[in-house]
Amino acid sequence: MATQILPSHPPALPRTHDPNNSGCGRSNHLSVRRKAEDHPVLALLDDHRRLDADSIRRIHARMLRLGLLDHPYSASRLLAACSLSPSPDLRYARRVFDHISAPNLFTWNIIIRAHASGPDPRLALLLFSSLLRHSPHSPDKFTFPFAIKAAAELAALREGAALHAMVAKSPFLRSDVFVLNSLVHFYAACGDSNLSLRVFEKIPEPDVVSWNSAIAALAQGGRWDEALQLFEEMDRGKVMPNDVTMVSVASVCGKKGDLELGKRIHSYIERGEIKQSLILDNALLDMFVKCRSLADAESLFDGMTTRDSISWTTMLVGYAKSGQFDAARRVFDEMPRRDIASWNALISCYEQSGRPKEALDLFHELQHADATPDQVTLVAALSACSQLGALELGCWIHAYMEKNNFQLNYHLTTSLIDMYSKCGDLDKALRVFGCASKRDVFVWSAMIAGLAMHGRGREALDLFEQMQEAEVEPNTVTFTNILCACSHAGLVEEGRLCFSQMLPVYGISPTADHYSCMADILGRAGLLEEARGYVESMPTPPGATAWGALLGGCAIHKNVELGELACRRLLELEPRNHGAYVILSNLYARSGRWDAVAMLRKVMKESSVKKEAGCSSIEVDGVVHEFLVGDISHPTKEKIYLQLEDIASRLKAAGYVPDRKEEDDAKEKALCLHSENLAIASGLPDDMFAGTDPDHEESSCVTVRVWIGLLLASVLLEAKQSWMEAKKRVAVLNFVQQSKCVLSCGLDRDGYLLQVCCYTRGEAL
DNA sequence: ATAGGGTTAG
């Protein structure tokens, strides 16, 4: 640093930044140096955790007037204060840094540290590289942990590995426990628990943080048992576990569902060996919730002196996951502060428990509260839309995402494709897929599933080819979807080939799902013995799905003996499976075995197997209405019943005969109370048939309306009918497509009709 | 003068 010989007069104006001017102000260097270090203003910066932005600005101004910023030491004190305050203004910190001429290494470390844990950790890495290129200093044992932290935040494997290489070259750094600990954390953050562990094993004297980082790496990598082993090893050694250790251990107990170990951990902590902390309490709460021990969770929660929104949300999830939705809702209403995660937790729990309507009601509620949905919210809401066939709301969410510049990440792209496919709008699904800039295995798999459920098996297989050309590795879900496509399109040979290639070519062991798909493909094709072979050669004992697939094949091809066997096995696993009885009964009926039909009914009656209450929904103007079988509670029930009677008589006039081959459904009155019919009739306009006669219709617009009604009704009256077949059968669908009406159908995985939405663009139907 | 590790929703 140049020695100054000018008299000491504090400069009145702030210096502008000039990197070429390495001079430090216009005053006597030595006297300023002493003053700069001792100046009382600096004492104001000591407690930087309490300084707010305004106080920092005031101190900054005073320091400018006093000329203190010309000295690297005092300027760094200011930099530290504004970088390390609780909510640092990094752009401000960066401006202060840029005005410090010849920043020393401490200064560099501070600014890199601040950016490493800031909103854009890339800036920390950029600063690190300008430290290397533009400064005379070399990064030290403080610099590396900050830079590696930034790489970890970004999961930037390449950059972090480069830092690791630099560390490895320096004998001082490569054995520094802080540096190595940050590398253990870094590799774990990149999802590579192996590398993480290898660094850990090289630490000469691991401290508690080393152990904690390694245990956390294993815990987060899903290697639960190894995490617990490492914990035991630590416990036997000279390093004492602390509260942070126990957070990871509790989390592993939760993931494993190991309540016994979880309780031992809990009492170990309560004996006072371990410091209490809110995070640890939350981790224990989560452990109890995941182990389904709500009583333990409640008593822990009740005894907690401080709780944050994570504590409340964890309790909420505990109630919701155990089906106590009223209690969950009470927690939600009582919690002092709700963040978006609390909303997401409840919405997701509803959606995953087969309560999509409640999920969407809550989603609407969220929009009226002043909460802002995030990606997790939208993923959950889209999934609820898929389950309900709520196309209109799904479209609205899509538009909302575009309007608010949501990054279409893999997760959201997958959800959109799934929603459009399941709500029947395959073209939109294909469009989302086509517009996706990047596609991971889930995006590809969702699109393959979409094509499969719409009966476009060939195209699904083509897409699989394209996926491989794009060098995306298929996973187990991809193969389930491909086999599903083969099943729908009747592609037996292709199905066999895919299945046989799974392990040798793709290294994926077929699971029970894949075996069941094969049983389904072969069974539908009438290759019942081969199907049975797949079921009986499964790696795990065949489950209800496998026997169900075989039973389905037997029912189609009237194989009573094998069908009975499959049904027996299925009922051993699921004694209350109503569907199994119905299929077997239909199989008997179609083979003329009426005695067996009667016997089966008797068995069902005696074992009081009940049909699950059917439930259907319809979306009208973005609002979802639900109907149960025989539901008479809807406010417009009169209208609905009139509609149904009208449709029924028109169907009869049009020569429609309900399919009576299948079981029950015989009484027309009962038909009217089918939940699907109730739902669709409620969505039809009051005057749909006003003054019309399907045989002599003048106005084509009205004709279309009438036909829509008839079409929907006929499809719905035979809800077991595949939608694809119905489409072929009813040519009138073309009218629908030309009209202003939008007709979309929700399909289940097998391409069967779940939901129908019918609405107009622009005008009321 | 500066350091590192941990909990909820998908």
Side-chain angles (χ1 to χ4, degrees):
Chain A
M1 191 169 295
T3 310
Q4 300 290 319
I5 48 163
L6 292 169
S8 98
H9 278 303
L13 291 169
R15 271 187 341 99
T16 50
H17 178 54
D18 179 2
N20 299 320
N21 175 10
S22 59
C24 278
R26 285 126 233 179
S27 28
N28 180 294
H29 174 66
L30 287 176
S31 70
V32 167
R33 182 182 173 85
R34 171 154 304 141
K35 268 191 193 155
E37 286 177 359
D38 300 341
H39 201 285
V41 171
L42 295 183
L44 298 173
L45 293 168
D46 278 346
D47 193 5
H48 45 65
R49 307 218 170 275
R50 284 167 187 269
L51 288 175
D52 60 15
D54 274 347
S55 337
I56 288 177
R57 262 166 225 276
R58 275 197 299 276
I59 298 168
H60 188 181
R62 281 180 69 185
M63 290 177 71
L64 275 171
R65 284 198 302 275
L66 293 164
L68 292 173
L69 289 186
D70 293 329
H71 199 281
Y73 173 84
S74 48
S76 298
R77 292 282 298 269
L78 174 69
L79 179 67
C82 57
S83 303
L84 308 178
S85 78
S87 52
D89 180 347
L90 293 184
R91 286 177 55 194
Y92 190 86
R94 183 62 195 263
R95 280 206 303 278
V96 171
F97 174 78
D98 287 341
H99 279 80
I100 299 175
S101 56
N104 60 25
L105 191 53
F106 171 82
T107 315
W108 280 101
N109 289 346
I110 291 291
I111 194 74
I112 292 171
R113 172 191 178 188
H115 283 92
S117 41
D120 189 0
R122 284 178 311 173
L123 296 173
L125 293 179
L126 287 172
L127 282 161
F128 182 85
S129 85
S130 50
L131 164 66
L132 290 181
R133 278 183 293 163
H134 303 307
S135 112
H137 307 288
S138 295
D140 64 358
K141 60 177 181 168
F142 291 100
T143 325
F144 276 100
F146 300 144
I148 294 167
K149 168 82 179 294
E153 293 279 324
L154 295 162
L157 188 56
R158 196 184 289 268
E159 287 76 4
L163 292 165
H164 190 179
M166 295 173 74
V167 165
K169 284 186 190 136
S170 153
F172 298 107
L173 294 172
R174 69 170 170 239
S175 56
D176 183 274
V177 70
F178 280 87
V179 174
L180 292 173
N181 288 350
S182 66
L183 283 168
V184 173
H185 171 71
F186 160 73
Y187 284 115
C190 292
D192 195 331
S193 50
N194 281 324
L195 280 179
S196 179
L197 222 55
R198 264 170 53 191
V199 176
F200 169 70
E201 281 156 5
K202 287 214 183 87
I203 302 177
E205 282 187 51
D207 65 5
V208 64
V209 178
S210 319
W211 284 97
N212 289 349
S213 304
I215 292 171
L218 289 169
Q220 288 157 8
R223 297 161 67 172
W224 305 325
D225 291 321
E226 290 165 88
L228 294 179
Q229 278 167 24
L230 205 59
F231 168 62
E232 278 171 29
E233 209 178 305
M234 173 189 191
D235 208 29
R236 286 197 299 268
K238 55 185 171 181
V239 180
M240 284 295 289
N242 65 8
D243 54 321
V244 178
T245 324
M246 301 321 271
V247 170
S248 286
V249 175
S251 161
V252 168
C253 292
K255 285 169 185 157
K256 282 190 68 180
D258 189 340
L259 182 59
E260 201 192 308
L261 183 57
K263 283 190 166 176
R264 288 222 313 270
I265 298 296
H266 186 210
S267 57
Y268 180 77
I269 293 162
E270 287 198 319
R271 267 181 273 134
E273 314 279 347
I274 300 287
K275 195 182 79 189
Q276 287 274 356
S277 84
L278 178 56
I279 294 179
L280 179 52
D281 280 344
N282 286 346
L284 288 167
L285 266 186
D286 175 59
M287 181 270 294
F288 283 134
V289 162
K290 290 218 166 77
C291 294
R292 308 260 141 170
S293 180
L294 220 51
D296 287 310
E298 277 168 340
S299 73
L300 176 60
F301 183 81
D302 290 342
M304 283 167 65
T305 45
T306 48
R307 308 173 181 125
D308 63 4
S309 80
I310 294 182
S311 331
W312 285 91
T313 304
T314 306
M315 283 310 289
L316 181 162
V317 169
Y319 289 119
K321 284 265 157 81
S322 64
Q324 300 180 49
F325 282 97
D326 291 343
R329 180 69 212 216
R330 223 174 302 127
V331 172
F332 184 78
D333 291 332
E334 279 171 13
M335 59 195 291
R337 273 192 58 249
R338 274 182 287 278
D339 55 19
I340 189 62
S342 329
W343 287 93
N344 292 346
L346 194 52
I347 293 175
S348 303
C349 282
Y350 278 130
E351 174 258 307
Q352 283 161 27
S353 317
R355 295 174 172 235
K357 173 144 163 52
E358 283 92 335
L360 290 185
D361 288 344
L362 197 61
F363 178 66
H364 284 128
E365 207 179 308
L366 173 148
Q367 292 166 297
H368 294 298
D370 45 359
T372 312
D374 66 3
Q375 295 190 340
V376 179
T377 325
L378 298 186
V379 166
L382 284 171
S383 172
C385 289
S386 309
Q387 292 176 49
L388 281 169
L391 181 62
E392 201 173 350
L393 183 57
C395 287
W396 183 89
I397 293 173
H398 190 183
Y400 178 92
M401 280 160 45
E402 286 178 344
K403 194 175 148 213
N404 292 283
N405 292 320
F406 269 77
Q407 287 291 321
L408 259 194
N409 61 12
Y410 294 140
H411 214 120
L412 276 174
T413 308
T414 305
S415 297
L416 277 175
I417 292 172
D418 181 68
M419 182 277 293
Y420 280 127
S421 301
K422 287 190 178 146
C423 290
D425 197 338
L426 188 64
D427 290 339
K428 274 253 182 66
L430 285 163
R431 215 175 305 156
V432 171
F433 180 78
C435 291
S437 53
K438 280 164 68 190
R439 300 168 183 144
D440 71 352
V441 59
F442 293 100
V443 174
W444 283 97
S445 302
M447 198 61 252
I448 290 172
L451 287 165
M453 74 179 75
H454 285 259
R456 291 159 69 164
R458 281 278 169 214
E459 288 163 76
L461 289 178
D462 289 346
L463 206 64
F464 181 50
E465 286 295 321
Q466 289 177 39
M467 171 178 169
Q468 287 166 288
E469 280 161 26
E471 293 182 343
V472 176
E473 287 281 314
N475 65 15
T476 166
V477 177
T478 320
F479 277 100
T480 306
N481 297 343
I482 293 165
L483 293 176
C484 185
C486 292
S487 151
H488 282 294
L491 304 170
V492 177
E493 197 46 55
E494 288 81 351
R496 281 200 195 106
L497 186 68
C498 270
F499 186 88
S500 68
Q501 287 182 339
M502 282 180 67
L503 191 56
V505 180
Y506 301 96
I508 297 167
S509 303
T511 65
D513 262 353
H514 303 114
Y515 278 87
S516 302
C517 283
M518 286 311 291
D520 185 60
I521 294 173
L522 297 164
R524 282 176 199 265
L527 301 164
L528 292 170
E529 278 308 317
E530 194 183 342
R532 177 190 190 162
Y534 274 92
V535 172
E536 287 173 348
S537 62
M538 285 172 62
T540 51
T545 325
W547 291 118
L550 187 59
L551 173 61
C554 294
I556 295 169
H557 297 281
K558 296 189 201 168
N559 185 326
V560 174
E561 283 83 338
L562 193 52
E564 282 177 332
L565 171 83
C567 192
R568 209 176 312 129
R569 297 276 176 270
L570 176 49
L571 289 174
E572 280 165 15
L573 297 165
E574 291 182 357
R576 317 204 67 76
N577 189 322
H578 171 264
Y581 284 101
V582 173
I583 294 173
L584 185 63
S585 163
N586 289 338
L587 172 55
Y588 284 142
R590 292 173 64 180
S591 319
R593 297 270 309 274
W594 300 104
D595 52 327
V597 173
M599 189 200 70
L600 205 57
R601 293 201 174 194
K602 209 171 135 225
V603 174
M604 283 176 75
K605 221 174 190 171
E606 280 166 1
S607 56
S608 66
V609 174
K610 289 223 176 60
K611 190 176 178 176
E612 276 180 31
C615 180
S616 298
S617 62
I618 185 166
E619 182 188 31
V620 178
D621 296 329
V623 178
V624 175
H625 303 267
E626 280 190 331
F627 293 87
L628 290 169
V629 177
D631 197 341
I632 50 160
S633 61
H634 199 271
T636 57
K637 63 178 181 187
E638 297 299 329
K639 180 201 135 191
I640 294 171
Y641 288 135
L642 285 175
Q643 287 280 22
L644 282 171
E645 275 174 31
D646 200 2
I647 291 172
S649 63
R650 277 161 198 277
L651 279 167
K652 237 182 213 163
Y656 171 78
V657 185
D659 180 7
R660 287 177 200 233
K661 289 194 297 290
E662 306 286 316
E663 200 230 1
D664 58 60
D665 295 7
K667 289 173 195 154
E668 273 174 59
K669 207 72 186 168
L671 278 182
C672 287
L673 298 180
H674 266 191
S675 62
E676 304 93 320
N677 302 345
L678 290 170
I680 197 69
S682 80
L684 297 174
D686 295 337
D687 58 347
M688 192 173 92
F689 298 116
T692 63
D693 176 345
D695 295 328
H696 308 93
E697 184 48 63
E698 300 290 314
S699 153
S700 63
C701 175
V702 180
T703 311
V704 169
R705 292 180 183 178
V706 173
W707 277 110
I708 293 168
L710 293 176
L711 166 74
L712 294 178
S714 66
V715 168
L716 289 167
L717 287 170
E718 295 180 62
K720 292 190 187 76
Q721 185 87 45
S722 147
W723 172 241
M724 261 64 68
E725 290 160 33
K727 246 175 153 175
K728 270 183 246 150
R729 214 160 39 87
V730 190
V732 77
L733 196 76
N734 293 330
F735 278 108
V736 178
Q737 283 164 350
Q738 285 159 23
S739 76
K740 287 184 179 131
C741 300
V742 177
L743 178 68
S744 76
C745 296
L747 307 172
D748 69 7
R749 215 190 89 189
D750 289 333
Y752 285 85
L753 192 70
L754 278 180
Q755 314 292 338
V756 176
C757 309
C758 182
Y759 56 94
T760 51
R761 287 204 193 94
E763 65 175 63
L765 181 68

